[in-house]
Amino acid sequence: MQRLIRIAAAAAALVLAGCATAPAPAAHATPQLRLAPALLGRPLNLQQHLTLHAPGRDQQLDVLLEADARHVRMGLLAMGQVAARLDWDGTTLTESKASWWPQEVSGSRILSDLQLTLWPVDAIQAALPAGWRLVEDGNVRTLTQDGQVVTVITRLGPLLALFDQRREHFQLKIESRDLGDDAAASANPT
């Protein structure tokens, strides 16, 4: 039974990795953000349930996220088992992965997409290379390259977001639960 769980988890992770890390031509690759934890401007303590939708595939993953001015820490859970841990201190990204978790799943990419979703627009824009732009209009963030839409992030509620990676043809539904102060969650939607 344990072996079956590992095989199923590995298969799920490969699907997730294949959709979420599909290589794009270098000129079209989404920039990898490396923003300081302090730039977030607030602490986070969230439990997230991610549902990946890609052509012909759906996958689910749970994430525990903790951020303060010094660190961003994440634990990724697949099928109830710890798949990976990430720790970003603003200088070094430390990753540890379960032996059954595919090496192709990039902690760097996970951190970048997290920052694109949660960090302030001004901080992100300052880190983007020439030709890239992030605009926030109400509950919608749009990342473009030379005027072409690459990613759209829509906040559907205080703790619900849809991450639509148009260039790589996948969507993530991000359902969050604040494990800290509920008042802070409604004042600072994810």
Side-chain angles (χ1 to χ4, degrees):
M1 182 64 164
Q2 187 72 303
R3 183 169 186 237
L4 180 60
I5 289 173
R6 285 185 178 161
I7 290 170
L14 283 171
V15 170
L16 180 60
C19 296
T21 61
H28 295 290
T30 303
Q32 298 293 294
L33 297 172
R34 292 292 170 274
L35 304 175
L39 291 175
L40 177 60
R42 61 189 167 105
L44 288 177
N45 190 8
L46 300 174
Q47 177 180 356
Q48 296 183 315
H49 182 75
L50 308 181
T51 304
L52 170 75
H53 298 286
R57 305 177 196 163
D58 286 344
Q59 284 304 145
Q60 296 186 12
L61 183 70
D62 291 310
V63 176
L64 296 175
L65 168 63
E66 179 180 84
D68 58 31
R70 296 183 347 202
H71 285 270
V72 176
R73 293 179 184 94
M74 297 176 68
L76 287 75
L77 303 153
M79 299 187 64
Q81 297 185 1
V82 176
R85 289 186 176 106
L86 307 174
D87 184 353
W88 168 246
D89 67 5
T91 304
T92 304
L93 177 62
T94 305
E95 297 181 62
S96 63
K97 299 177 184 179
S99 60
W100 50 265
W101 187 254
Q103 294 304 308
E104 298 83 27
V105 177
S106 164
S108 171
R109 174 64 183 269
I110 292 168
L111 175 67
S112 183
D113 287 350
L114 170 75
Q115 291 186 334
L116 184 61
T117 303
L118 296 175
W119 265 240
V121 171
D122 292 343
I124 296 168
Q125 187 60 51
L128 291 173
W132 288 85
R133 186 167 181 224
L134 181 66
V135 174
E136 187 167 52
D137 184 12
N139 289 333
V140 179
R141 286 185 175 194
T142 305
L143 178 67
T144 60
Q145 181 186 24
D146 298 324
Q148 188 174 45
V149 175
V150 176
T151 305
V152 177
I153 302 162
T154 306
R155 282 184 214 62
L156 303 171
L159 296 170
L160 179 62
L162 181 63
F163 185 100
D164 185 6
Q165 211 323 326
R166 295 188 178 177
R167 190 172 278 167
E168 296 177 38
H169 310 290
F170 74 87
Q171 295 84 36
L172 280 175
K173 181 179 177 184
I174 306 166
E175 300 170 271
S176 299
R177 188 176 117 207
D178 193 326
L179 299 176
D181 182 0
D182 289 341
S186 59
N188 298 305
T190 56

